[in-house]
Amino acid sequence: MRTLTIRQPDDWHVHLRDDAYLAATTQDVSRYFARAIIMPNLVPPVLTRLDATRYRDRILSQVPEHRSFNPLMTLYLTDQTSAETIKDAANSGIIHACKLYPAGATTHSDAGVNAIEGLYPVFEEMQKHDLRLAVHGEVTDASVDIFDREKIFIEQYLEPLVQQFPDLKIIFEHITTTEAVDFVKASTHNIGATITAHHLLYNRNDMLVGSIKPTLYCLPVLKRDRHQQALIKAATSGDPSFFLGTDSAPHPVSAKENACGCAAGCYTMHAAIELYAEAFANNNGLHALEGFASCYGADFYGLPRNTGTIKLIETEWVCPSKMRFGESDLVPLRAGEAVHWQVVNNSSESS
Ligand code: NCD
Ligand code: ZN
């Protein structure tokens, strides 16, 4: 049985939702993650410093007493976001990034950005204050095939943006393609990327062959095997541009298994580092897990690395087939199936 002790990890992209859902998601994220970048796509979204402060307080009120967890807040950019709002956010000390959702690209992105060029004054201000830009990198043009949307976004928006703002630190979120990996590798250290556990563990065959699996449907959608292999190679390579972002994005079962359509988003926070450990172990990459999960993201965000440790062992356990989620149920990724790693010790948690 293999064991692995690593520095305490952080999650650089997570959806905790709000209100009745926060109890479950905060409980799960604070099990061993010290910090997490909290996505702002609430309904209505987190638009200002005040919204972020209040949302942060709601999250903190749900952290179990014996744990310490630091939610790192983000603002949601819209066509109306002003440079003044950015300045205020940068001075807050609690806001670490702004999130760019092209309008209509994904769940709760209707209020997102229609004209990226219109936000150039905002990016200017972010660059000046060293606020990071987190990007959902997919075009929304109805004529572009869903499997090509990330690739086209790089050409149409990301390359011009990087050229225009060479000092802006940009996180290309939840990348899913070889093109994204190549783009990040060819860029300066100002460009980083998060990679989810599900994009490392699955490809579109897993989601579509035999029957469609709602638990695996997320955006950007799972791609073909060749892209999965490129992501695995990037994550296990030790390249500090690539780091952990679960994109754990829960939806009640009624929204995932619905005759009118399946909401996009996979819940992985019940087994996050365990699933990454599995992906890394399956590809002879365990030695690279600590850098990816616990070092490079903190470095990219200009924050100190954590000092605690967690210990994982290679052992089989079965995921619950359903979890309680507010007043509803949630079907997590791997529901009713085995996970092959388990966290057995977290040095930062007082009992
Ligand atoms: C996310 C959500 O549900 O909020 N969904 C998803 O499929 N990943 C939004 C996002 O990150 O795209
Ligand atoms: Zn997300």
Side-chain angles (χ1 to χ4, degrees):
M1 183 180 68
R2 284 181 289 183
T3 70
L4 180 71
T5 298
I6 59 169
R7 187 188 292 272
Q8 196 181 3
D10 303 298
D11 182 356
W12 300 98
H13 181 131
V14 68
H15 302 265
L16 297 186
R17 311 301 190 208
D18 206 355
D19 302 324
Y21 297 144
L22 264 187
T25 53
T26 306
Q27 170 83 26
D28 278 358
V29 75
S30 64
R31 279 191 305 141
Y32 43 69
F33 286 118
R35 299 167 291 200
I37 285 281
I38 312 298
M39 286 295 130
N41 62 333
L42 305 181
V43 186
V46 179
L47 297 177
T48 64
R49 173 183 182 162
L50 183 62
D51 293 344
T53 306
R54 290 188 172 148
Y55 184 30
R56 182 171 183 270
D57 289 344
R58 294 197 294 280
I59 295 168
L60 285 174
S61 73
Q62 299 293 334
V63 177
E65 242 170 50
H66 59 289
R67 293 184 185 162
S68 100
F69 172 71
N70 186 2
L72 309 173
M73 308 311 290
T74 61
L75 292 192
Y76 184 113
L77 297 177
T78 72
D79 293 324
Q80 279 74 44
T81 305
S82 68
E84 203 47 47
T85 300
I86 298 301
K87 196 168 152 197
D88 197 30
N91 291 332
S92 72
I94 60 160
I95 296 167
H96 297 261
C98 297
K99 181 70 190 276
L100 170 65
Y101 289 105
T106 185
T107 309
H108 304 329
S109 64
D110 300 348
V113 173
N114 289 289
I116 293 184
E117 296 83 0
L119 277 186
Y120 276 19
V122 162
F123 300 146
E124 192 78 56
E125 195 72 11
M126 289 175 64
Q127 184 172 256
K128 192 163 119 198
H129 293 282
D130 206 25
L131 259 191
R132 276 115 188 99
L133 176 67
V135 178
H136 183 108
E138 287 191 289
V139 293
T140 54
D141 186 338
S143 67
V144 178
D145 188 276
I146 189 166
F147 291 102
D148 296 333
R149 289 182 172 200
E150 185 173 279
K151 183 177 100 181
I152 306 284
F153 185 86
I154 298 172
E155 297 157 14
Q156 275 190 6
Y157 296 104
L158 213 44
E159 280 169 357
L161 190 65
V162 170
Q163 254 172 27
Q164 191 80 19
F165 300 99
D167 296 326
L168 182 63
K169 294 201 172 63
I170 300 176
I171 306 101
F172 195 173
E173 297 288 354
H174 39 51
I175 58 167
T176 62
T177 55
T178 36
E179 288 83 1
V181 168
D182 292 345
F183 173 78
V184 172
K185 279 181 22 190
S187 302
T188 69
H189 291 307
N190 284 339
I191 313 301
T194 52
I195 305 181
T196 77
H198 43 285
H199 288 99
L200 294 173
L201 288 163
Y202 300 105
N203 61 51
R204 67 194 198 184
N205 270 8
D206 298 303
M207 179 178 62
L208 297 174
V209 172
S211 65
I212 295 179
K213 323 294 184 304
T215 51
L216 290 182
Y217 178 60
C218 66
L219 289 168
V221 72
L222 294 171
K223 306 294 191 299
R224 58 167 72 237
D225 172 68
R226 168 169 76 80
H227 296 291
Q228 182 192 4
Q229 296 311 319
L231 297 175
I232 292 170
K233 202 167 160 205
T236 58
S237 67
D239 181 336
S241 305
F242 301 100
F243 44 89
L244 184 155
T246 62
D247 193 23
S248 177
H251 292 277
V253 65
S254 56
K256 294 287 283 177
E257 298 173 21
N258 186 309
C260 299
C262 165
C266 302
Y267 193 68
T268 50
M269 196 44 77
H270 61 303
I273 197 72
E274 297 88 338
L275 290 168
Y276 279 106
E278 201 175 299
F280 277 61
N282 289 347
N283 294 283
N284 296 320
L286 269 187
H287 58 281
L289 184 63
E290 182 173 45
F292 177 84
S294 317
C295 303
Y296 308 148
D299 299 350
F300 190 87
Y301 272 87
L303 296 169
R305 295 178 179 181
N306 299 316
T307 51
T309 57
I310 63 167
K311 182 176 174 188
L312 291 129
I313 59 171
E314 191 174 24
T315 182
E316 203 172 289
W317 59 282
V318 176
C319 274
S321 53
K322 268 188 190 159
M323 299 170 69
R324 208 58 200 147
F325 185 50
E327 296 300 303
S328 344
D329 284 328
L330 162 83
V331 181
L333 194 121
R334 282 282 164 88
E337 290 173 43
V339 174
H340 298 92
W341 286 80
Q342 192 167 41
V343 174
V344 288
N345 186 19
N346 174 357
S347 76
S348 71
E349 189 165 1
S350 51
S351 42

